[in-house]
Amino acid sequence: MKKENQHKIIFLPANRTGYFEHGITVRDAALELGIIIESDCAGIGSCAKCKVEIKQGADSPTIVEQQLLTPDELKKGVRLACQSSVSADCMCLVRTTLKPEEVRIMTEGLLTDIDLNPDIQKVLVQITPAQLGEKYFDFERIIESLQHQGYGISDYDFQVTRDVARTLRTNDYRITAVIERERLIAVEPGDTTQVLYGVVVDIGTTTVAIKLVNLVTGDVAAVNSAANPQAAHGADVVSRLNYIIQHPGGLKRLNQLIIKLINALIRNLADEAGIKLDMIYKIVLAGNTVMQHIALNIDPRHLAHKPYAPAFQGPATLAAVSLGIKINPHGICYAIPNLACFVGSDITSVLTILALDKQDEFQLAIDMGTNGEMVIGSKDRLLCCSSPAGPAWEGACITWGVRAVYGAIERAEIENDELHFRTIGDGDPVGICGSGLIDIVCEFLRAGVIDKSGRILNPVQLPTDKISRLTDFVAGGKNGSRELKITEIDNSNSITVSQDDIREIQLAKGAIAAGVSILIAEVNISPDDIAAVYIAGAFGNHIRAQDVLDLGLIAKISPEKIKFIGNAALTGAEAILRSGKARERAEQIAKKIEYIEIADEPAFQDSFVESLHFPIESKRSES
């Protein structure tokens, strides 16, 4: 029922209605109803991506809206959800919410041969019934029987003892013991040894990927993925840390969002595989340090300021039910250990299936996410660092940037001075995702339209042999700057790449390049000495080796040394689920790896500034 000083808001096309206090922003009202409105800036009013149409009831446009929206948009009732406050009953049309099936998220990575020998297993046990006069206890007899079969039990879930008498007598003392390492976690009546599933989850800042694995056969039963709903509260980990610090209950809110998503994805996996949730006994979590803290409901706020101290490294083993994760009631959650404050368990997973620490020559691994994480290693030394690349790789903070959705420009190429591009799903272009943006920037770099400093050149400065053809791509942008006109989408709008967009790419690649330079200098080698470069992450798998070099992400090396390994974090987590040896290797790596905090490295700032420039030679004549 509507109370005094409240207004009714109807959100379409979701058709959800709520009553909210006078002055609430449309964005906050939508979030309370579970409607995620796409944005990159966590509601501070800088990205202009949370556009909605408000029919009535909103206050006058703010100064920010007047600056970021066109007169035609304002006339049509287009507003920024984070800026528009409600002063009367209103109806709001949300056009930016993406359907899960419209987002393409990589779930495949480096293929590895991992023996199936999981830490969690089931053992069929036939118990000898008690005899009158015999000193006999049901639970202890189970333990003894397991020991006779070679399974040492040093710990157990006390809940098992409450049900053991009934369980034993349900199937004539024939039971299945569920063991996680040396801990007895469940006792089931009869023979259930052929029913044992596990789940692995890679919690990324932008996306979440998940796999269901049959731990009896080793088969991957189902795969699923989705956008991380926490993005509504910030596109990167720093924004989410600030949200937790500035909003009472912020940690609880972000934790509930990720647990709700994980449960929904697990339910989807189970439905696809035709199994029940209680057939899943273990979940393995990988993610960057902040994402893992939030998923485990551990306050990460001290990562926001020096000395950037995480609450824990891990590994952590706990009951899945304690996190609200809906699998078997006795199910286990294993959180892979982190490596450092901003080098998370996702990189631990990657290193688990690579062999950097076993090689004679140094190799390099780079995870190109919103937080760039880098590792260099050989049999002599293993060293890691992180650098805040920002969300540009995911299309965030870019004028026409979108995630890898249907219609996103993902590939571009200039051929005979004409720009050709490809969209995801071959649909009409709606924006540019990370890989498409990299292609566009590199193609115009190679064509001489963008110079080494990242500046879009005035048409009169273009190469004399191209000025007549390439001039059409260069247009005037905001505040007198130039932009690249990629394609028209209607009579009044064109997808463009602005000068500011190029600067965002320079900042992102500069952060990673500077981190790589610090690592190379620390181990006292030259770039030529690197035997292989592994680029992990969904975004990294969709770019080209030559683009990596022309951007200057790493110093000039042979393109053949660059290997793209996809979502190796998910693959590594799967290896840890499948194999106790892989889990032990992950824990050993976490103990021995060294960490450099590059923010305190005197050379980092100089290297970062130097790395902002593109190394490619401009084709523009010097005349």
Side-chain angles (χ1 to χ4, degrees), residues 407-455:
I409 296 175
E410 63 169 344
R411 274 279 175 262
E413 184 176 6
I414 293 177
E415 186 176 358
N416 296 325
D417 297 334
E418 292 185 1
L419 180 66
H420 305 275
F421 61 81
R422 184 181 75 210
T423 64
I424 295 174
D426 296 323
D428 293 335
V430 297
I432 310 171
C433 66
S435 61
L437 183 63
I438 294 303
D439 269 4
I440 289 169
V441 171
C442 287
E443 285 295 301
F444 281 102
L445 268 169
R446 288 187 281 261
V449 177
I450 300 173
D451 69 11
K452 293 178 67 172
S453 72
R455 184 168 56 100

Side-chain angles (χ1 to χ4, degrees), residues 308-447:
Y308 313 114
F312 84 112
Q313 178 183 27
T317 301
L318 63 163
V321 69
S322 69
L323 297 176
I325 294 176
K326 297 177 182 179
I327 56 175
N328 186 284
H330 303 287
I332 294 294
C333 175
Y334 176 80
I336 300 168
N338 299 302
L339 298 183
C341 57
F342 287 108
V343 186
S345 58
D346 49 352
I347 301 304
T348 312
S349 300
V350 173
L351 296 178
T352 301
I353 55 175
L354 293 177
L356 270 64
D357 56 329
K358 298 180 180 179
Q359 306 301 312
D360 293 329
E361 298 177 288
F362 278 99
Q363 296 183 341
L364 178 68
I366 305 172
D367 183 11
M368 291 180 59
T370 55
N371 186 57
E373 297 161 301
M374 295 138 277
V375 180
I376 195 166
S378 72
K379 64 182 182 181
D380 298 319
R381 196 175 182 191
L382 197 61
L383 189 65
C384 69
C385 72
S386 69
S387 189
W393 305 133
E394 306 289 348
C397 303
I398 303 299
T399 307
W400 281 91
V402 293
R403 296 201 299 270
V405 301
Y406 184 83
I409 296 175
E410 63 169 344
R411 274 279 175 262
E413 184 176 6
I414 293 177
E415 186 176 358
N416 296 325
D417 297 334
E418 292 185 1
L419 180 66
H420 305 275
F421 61 81
R422 184 181 75 210
T423 64
I424 295 174
D426 296 323
D428 293 335
V430 297
I432 310 171
C433 66
S435 61
L437 183 63
I438 294 303
D439 269 4
I440 289 169
V441 171
C442 287
E443 285 295 301
F444 281 102
L445 268 169
R446 288 187 281 261

Side-chain angles (χ1 to χ4, degrees), residues 161-364:
T161 64
R162 294 192 171 101
D163 301 326
V164 71
R166 176 185 55 80
T167 301
L168 277 174
R169 290 159 180 82
T170 299
N171 270 272
D172 296 326
Y173 291 84
R174 193 168 186 250
I175 56 98
T176 297
V178 186
I179 304 170
E180 211 278 331
R181 285 185 256 180
E182 296 182 346
R183 178 179 172 83
L184 179 64
I185 64 171
V187 173
E188 299 174 342
D191 183 358
T192 65
T193 55
Q194 297 306 302
V195 178
L196 182 63
Y197 289 84
V199 164
V200 292
V201 185
D202 174 28
I203 307 173
T205 310
T206 307
T207 58
V208 178
I210 185 169
K211 280 186 181 181
L212 175 68
V213 181
N214 186 327
L215 294 176
V216 176
T217 66
D219 295 333
V220 174
V223 182
N224 209 331
S225 60
N228 189 332
Q230 296 173 349
H233 301 288
D236 54 35
V237 294
V238 174
S239 299
R240 294 192 205 159
L241 287 171
N242 288 335
Y243 178 80
I244 290 171
I245 293 169
Q246 296 170 7
H247 293 79
L251 172 60
K252 181 179 179 181
R253 173 64 177 162
L254 295 185
N255 170 262
Q256 289 175 337
L257 284 172
I258 195 62
I259 296 301
K260 181 179 179 180
L261 176 64
I262 289 173
N263 282 331
L265 291 175
I266 291 175
R267 165 57 68 186
N268 291 342
L269 293 177
D271 289 345
E272 182 179 342
I275 68 169
K276 297 178 180 179
L277 291 178
D278 62 6
M279 295 179 177
I280 303 171
Y281 291 83
K282 188 169 184 177
I283 179 169
V284 173
L285 298 181
N288 67 55
T289 311
V290 175
M291 292 300 100
Q292 192 183 77
H293 274 59
I294 293 173
L296 298 179
N297 204 26
I298 297 173
D299 195 339
R301 71 181 60 225
H302 297 294
L303 282 162
H305 52 77
K306 292 182 180 180
Y308 313 114
F312 84 112
Q313 178 183 27
T317 301
L318 63 163
V321 69
S322 69
L323 297 176
I325 294 176
K326 297 177 182 179
I327 56 175
N328 186 284
H330 303 287
I332 294 294
C333 175
Y334 176 80
I336 300 168
N338 299 302
L339 298 183
C341 57
F342 287 108
V343 186
S345 58
D346 49 352
I347 301 304
T348 312
S349 300
V350 173
L351 296 178
T352 301
I353 55 175
L354 293 177
L356 270 64
D357 56 329
K358 298 180 180 179
Q359 306 301 312
D360 293 329
E361 298 177 288
F362 278 99
Q363 296 183 341
L364 178 68

